[in-house]
Amino acid sequence: MPRTVRNIHRAERDDIGDLTTRRPLPSRSIGDLDPFLFLNHHGPQTYPPRNHGLPFGPHPHRGFETVTFILEGDVLHRDSGGHESVISAGGAQWMTAGRGLVHAELSSPEFMERGGPLEILQLWVNLPARLKMTAPRYVGVQRDEVPRLSLDRAGVNLISGELAGRKGPVESLTGVWMSTVAIEPGGSVRLPAPRGRTVFLYVARGALAGIPAFHLVELNDDADDLELRTNEGATVLFGHAAPLGEPVVAQGPFVMNTREEIAQAIRDYHAGLFGPPMD
């Protein structure tokens, strides 16, 4: 028998200016899913020509990782470590903030000029205390760099981890397994979800059996795999990771283990230790 459902959590609407935003995690019904801290679902929406694009100008992070999945549109990434890329639909970005990084997530000049559909998922993944101050890094992968595995009537876009002899392009520091899964109407797929690991499952489009879009599914740790079924078709964010079991102290863009570490992060940021200023 596959894992069973413990609870279903509806994403809360939390628009950012003219950017349609839903936040499945955290919400009023769930805090976090250790080590998964936060998920924002931007869109789906269509931007007109000559728009202002994404509003996420330069801002700092320390102590965790941001994983961004571009379903439609694009994301222009710049950071104080000197990384810059434009990732288009079907691609992903994995940024390890570690000891501190300033980054910006904007739309490309081409997208702002022509407009078009936009839909993005951004997930925050906690780092253990031993890696909070690791060196920052960034990996951006385009659609053609992401292995797509056809399993039953589903396509699994593998970002990190291994499945059926294939390996995702991102090597997670903590062994996070992460993918997006598109299931055909009337289809089903069975995926590994080993006991002892926290499963992350969010319905971004369509619906799973009895679970509509914009819902986070909390699962019991009672089996080593998971079965996803759909009548109308669905796109889901699916992954799993070992829980850290450590204190989580968060303030804005910093996630550490103690209040003192948060205070130190703020001091370090204002002292310019997160890298050179960004325009």
Side-chain angles (χ1 to χ4, degrees), residues 66 98 102 114 130 208 231:
T66 65
V102 176
R114 71 173 186 270
R130 64 183 177 83
L208 297 177
N231 292 323

Side-chain angles (χ1 to χ4, degrees), residues 16 84 105 127 131 213 219 264:
I16 302 170
E84 182 170 340
E105 295 165 299
L127 287 170
L131 292 174
L219 297 162
Q264 187 63 54

Side-chain angles (χ1 to χ4, degrees), residues 238-255:
F238 167 70
H240 51 78
L244 304 182
E246 297 181 353
V248 175
V249 180
Q251 182 171 326
F254 310 121
V255 181

Side-chain angles (χ1 to χ4, degrees), residues 41-44 68-75 87-92 117-121 143 157 180-181 202-205 235-237:
H41 183 175
H42 303 300
T68 306
F69 308 84
I70 299 91
L71 303 183
E72 296 282 357
D74 64 31
V75 176
I87 303 298
S88 301
L118 181 140
E119 187 173 9
I120 295 165
L121 303 170
R143 179 174 187 164
N157 299 303
T180 58
V181 183
Y202 172 69
V203 184
R205 296 176 176 175
T235 298
V236 303
L237 180 60

Side-chain angles (χ1 to χ4, degrees), residues 7-231:
N7 211 337
I8 300 169
H9 306 275
R10 186 173 184 270
E12 297 179 355
R13 191 72 179 260
D14 191 17
D15 292 355
I16 302 170
D18 62 357
L19 178 61
T20 300
T21 301
R22 294 174 176 86
R23 192 183 65 252
L25 190 75
S27 70
R28 281 169 285 190
S29 61
I30 186 169
D32 63 46
L33 282 170
D34 181 20
F36 304 107
L37 300 169
F38 176 94
L39 178 68
N40 259 353
H41 183 175
H42 303 300
Q45 66 191 99
T46 299
Y47 273 69
R50 293 175 295 282
N51 62 80
H52 296 293
L54 293 170
F56 306 116
H59 57 281
H61 288 303
R62 173 179 278 183
F64 63 99
E65 300 181 290
T66 65
V67 188
T68 306
F69 308 84
I70 299 91
L71 303 183
E72 296 282 357
D74 64 31
V75 176
L76 188 161
H77 170 98
R78 295 193 185 108
D79 66 47
S80 56
H83 308 107
E84 182 170 340
S85 68
V86 176
I87 303 298
S88 301
Q93 301 175 335
W94 196 300
M95 188 187 81
T96 303
R99 63 177 175 245
L101 199 65
V102 176
H103 78 146
E105 295 165 299
L106 306 168
S107 298
S108 70
E110 293 77 15
F111 182 86
M112 289 190 286
E113 176 61 27
R114 71 173 186 270
L118 181 140
E119 187 173 9
I120 295 165
L121 303 170
Q122 186 175 84
L123 178 68
W124 291 12
V125 183
N126 202 8
L127 287 170
R130 64 183 177 83
L131 292 174
K132 290 287 189 189
M133 299 297 285
T134 195
R137 69 170 188 165
Y138 169 80
V139 179
V141 293
Q142 301 288 5
R143 179 174 187 164
D144 60 4
E145 299 174 89
V146 178
R148 181 178 175 86
L149 290 77
S150 295
L151 302 176
D152 301 325
R153 295 176 63 185
V156 180
N157 299 303
L158 187 60
I159 305 300
S160 65
E162 297 185 20
L163 181 65
R166 303 289 298 278
K167 190 173 183 179
V170 177
E171 188 74 35
S172 166
L173 295 177
T174 55
V176 176
W177 195 105
M178 188 56 61
S179 71
T180 58
V181 183
I183 313 170
E184 298 176 11
S188 66
V189 64
R190 202 147 180 163
L191 295 167
R195 280 183 175 88
R197 290 172 69 85
T198 302
V199 170
F200 194 92
L201 179 61
Y202 172 69
V203 184
R205 296 176 176 175
L208 297 177
I211 305 170
F214 314 134
H215 284 74
L216 178 74
V217 185
E218 188 181 4
L219 297 162
N220 291 308
D221 187 11
D222 55 358
D224 289 312
D225 60 10
L226 174 68
E227 186 173 40
L228 306 178
R229 291 182 174 274
T230 176
N231 292 323

